[in-house]
Structures are given as structure tokens and as C-alpha cells.
């Protein structure tokens, strides 16, 4: 039963992180359509801050797959 809770927890983490990243991606697309040269540096900062989430999602997905 504990293993089932672990899987559910990992799935919840995956869904929550994916939803945040999807929202960020939508915001980035909106910004990209309106961007000026001076905003480009801010956009780079946002993208850089999202990079660690990519690796986190990969780890969570691997954990889910490895528990089956």
C-alpha cells in the first residue's frame, strides 16, 4: 500500500510541475510576440530559471516508470 501512495505522490508532483511549466510556456509565447530588444534579457532570465524544472520532470518520470 505504501508503494501505491509513493506512485500517487510522484504522479501528483509530475502533474503539478507540468501545469506550472505549461503556464510558463504560454506566458513566454505571449511575451515573445510582444518582445522588444530591451525585454530580451528578461526573457533569457525566465528561460534560464525554467531549465532546472526540465530535469526535475525527467527525474519524476523516471521514478514513476521504475516503480512499476
Amino acid at each position: 500500500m505504501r508503494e501505491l501512495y509513493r506512485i500517487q505522490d510522484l504522479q501528483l508532483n509530475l502533474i503539478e510541475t507540468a501545469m506550472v511549466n505549461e503556464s510558463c510556456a504560454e506566458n513566454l509565447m505571449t511575451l515573445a510576440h510582444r518582445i522588444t530588444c530591451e525585454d530580451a534579457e528578461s526573457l533569457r532570465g525566465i528561460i534560464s530559471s525554467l531549465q532546472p524544472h526540465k530535469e526535475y520532470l525527467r527525474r519524476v518520470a523516471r521514478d514513476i516508470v521504475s516503480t512499476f
Side-chain angles (χ1 to χ4, degrees):
M1 190 59 115
R2 196 169 74 205
E3 197 63 31
L4 179 60
Y5 289 132
R6 172 83 173 127
I7 291 170
Q8 289 175 336
D9 188 47
L10 289 170
Q11 289 173 331
L12 181 59
N13 285 336
L14 180 64
I15 290 168
E16 288 173 345
T17 304
M19 288 174 60
V20 168
N21 285 343
E22 180 181 353
S23 177
C24 288
E26 288 176 10
N27 290 342
L28 285 174
M29 286 302 296
T30 301
L31 287 173
H33 285 56
R34 300 178 186 167
I35 196 164
T36 63
C37 289
E38 59 204 32
D39 293 330
E41 200 61 37
S42 295
L43 186 56
R44 284 185 187 159
I46 293 168
I47 292 169
S48 295
S49 69
L50 290 174
Q51 289 291 15
H53 295 285
K54 176 182 73 172
E55 286 306 315
Y56 174 75
L57 282 173
R58 284 184 181 156
R59 282 194 313 269
V60 170
R62 276 189 234 127
D63 287 347
I64 290 172
V65 170
S66 70
T67 56
F68 288 111

